[in-house]
Amino acid sequence: EAEVAQSPRYKITEKSQAVAFWCDPISGHATLYWYRQILGQGPELLVQFQDESVVDDSQLPKDRFSAERLKGVDSTLKIQPAELGDSAMYLCASSLGPSIFSYEQYFGPGTRLTVT
Amino acid sequence: GEDVEQSLFLSVREGDSSVINCTYTDSSSTYLYWYKQEPGAGLQLLTYIFSNMDMKQDQRLTVLLNKKDKHLSLRIADTQTGDSAIYFCAENPPVYNQGGKLIFGQGTELSVKP
């Protein structure tokens, strides 16, 4: 069964360091999402890609976060510099396409980030 | 506002039915979803319901939708210890770009006691 892959699964970093997460969506899925889930809360969207283009990054803290999906397949989310408040689970999800014709989002296992 | 609301905890006995409730915000949301998250894991899509439906049944899961009250519920029949997890409801308001963004509730932690 096809799955969304993420790495690393766990990351511990010191504040002010740079950190990067990688996501490989289900093959053929044009839409890719990065969510952040703070402990005890539901996920919140950080950025949404349609192929290689960003379609929603309104909640991405652009002073320190960046995301790319250069060839419209896998994606990298970077934080530089990391802050203590960035400690969270970072979830990647993918779907066939946008809007009501591709309503099922499939999530990866997530990357648990701890900033010390 | 954008708050999807859920009660935080539910405890049931094995074999009983569980009912998890959710109130969403946007009556024009096309789909409403239920996801399950086990400790340390990602989210697993359990089921979804299209907004023009009142009910959807899928094996032990029954979803009820009351659009007038913007209320969604998930019933799990014959609850098992393996159902212990956090359950999230989510909506996708079409006001967001291309309708892809999901708004999640804070999750209901279901505890199943043997």
Side-chain angles (χ1 to χ4, degrees):
Chain A
E1 184 176 304
E3 295 180 341
V4 176
Q6 289 188 249
S7 67
R9 292 294 310 277
Y10 304 93
K11 180 71 178 177
I12 300 174
T13 191
E14 293 182 347
K15 63 180 180 179
S16 80
Q17 296 298 304
V19 64
F21 314 130
W22 177 80
C23 172
D24 191 13
I26 293 172
S27 178
H29 279 195
T31 309
L32 185 146
Y33 311 80
W34 284 102
Y35 289 85
R36 177 170 63 184
Q37 185 181 21
I38 294 170
L39 190 64
Q41 299 182 18
E44 292 184 310
L45 183 72
L46 290 175
V47 61
Q48 175 186 345
F49 289 92
Q50 179 61 32
D51 298 310
E52 67 276 8
S53 300
V54 173
V55 296
D56 185 350
D57 63 357
S58 57
Q59 300 302 309
L60 189 71
K62 299 181 188 62
D63 57 334
R64 297 185 300 108
F65 285 64
S66 63
E68 61 183 16
R69 193 183 184 199
L70 292 177
K71 296 183 180 179
V73 181
D74 58 338
S75 174
T76 303
L77 178 69
K78 296 179 181 177
I79 308 174
Q80 182 175 13
E83 295 180 353
L84 294 177
D86 297 331
S87 294
M89 176 81 92
Y90 290 83
L91 295 162
C92 179
S94 70
S95 65
L96 277 172
S99 193
I100 64 170
F101 301 108
S102 56
Y103 38 82
E104 298 183 27
Q105 290 187 26
Y106 296 91
F107 283 77
T111 296
R112 168 72 67 188
L113 173 67
T114 301
V115 182
T116 62
Chain B
E2 289 192 359
D3 290 338
V4 177
E5 295 186 351
Q6 301 178 238
S7 53
L8 295 182
F9 301 100
L10 177 65
S11 180
V12 300
R13 291 263 176 217
E14 192 173 22
D16 289 348
S17 293
S18 306
V19 179
I20 302 171
N21 295 302
C22 170
T23 303
Y24 61 98
T25 60
D26 193 324
S27 57
S28 58
S29 288
T30 309
Y31 289 96
L32 297 139
Y33 304 83
W34 284 103
Y35 282 85
K36 176 183 179 182
Q37 187 176 37
E38 297 182 359
L43 274 68
Q44 174 194 353
L45 178 62
L46 282 179
T47 187
Y48 61 89
I49 188 167
F50 190 50
S51 57
N52 69 352
M53 299 169 65
D54 297 325
M55 184 182 82
K56 179 179 180 181
Q57 188 155 0
D58 184 358
Q59 298 181 348
R60 293 191 297 123
L61 305 178
T62 303
V63 179
L64 296 178
L65 175 60
N66 180 332
K67 284 191 70 175
K68 174 177 171 290
D69 295 335
K70 290 185 276 188
H71 184 266
L72 183 72
S73 68
L74 174 70
R75 178 177 181 270
I76 306 173
D78 187 25
T79 313
Q80 302 297 306
T81 55
D83 295 324
S84 293
I86 299 176
Y87 291 80
F88 292 93
C89 70
E91 60 175 339
N92 70 330
V95 65
Y96 295 107
N97 194 351
Q98 301 186 41
K101 178 177 180 177
L102 292 180
I103 305 296
F104 286 87
Q106 69 269 49
T108 298
E109 183 176 348
L110 175 64
S111 174
V112 183
K113 300 188 186 322

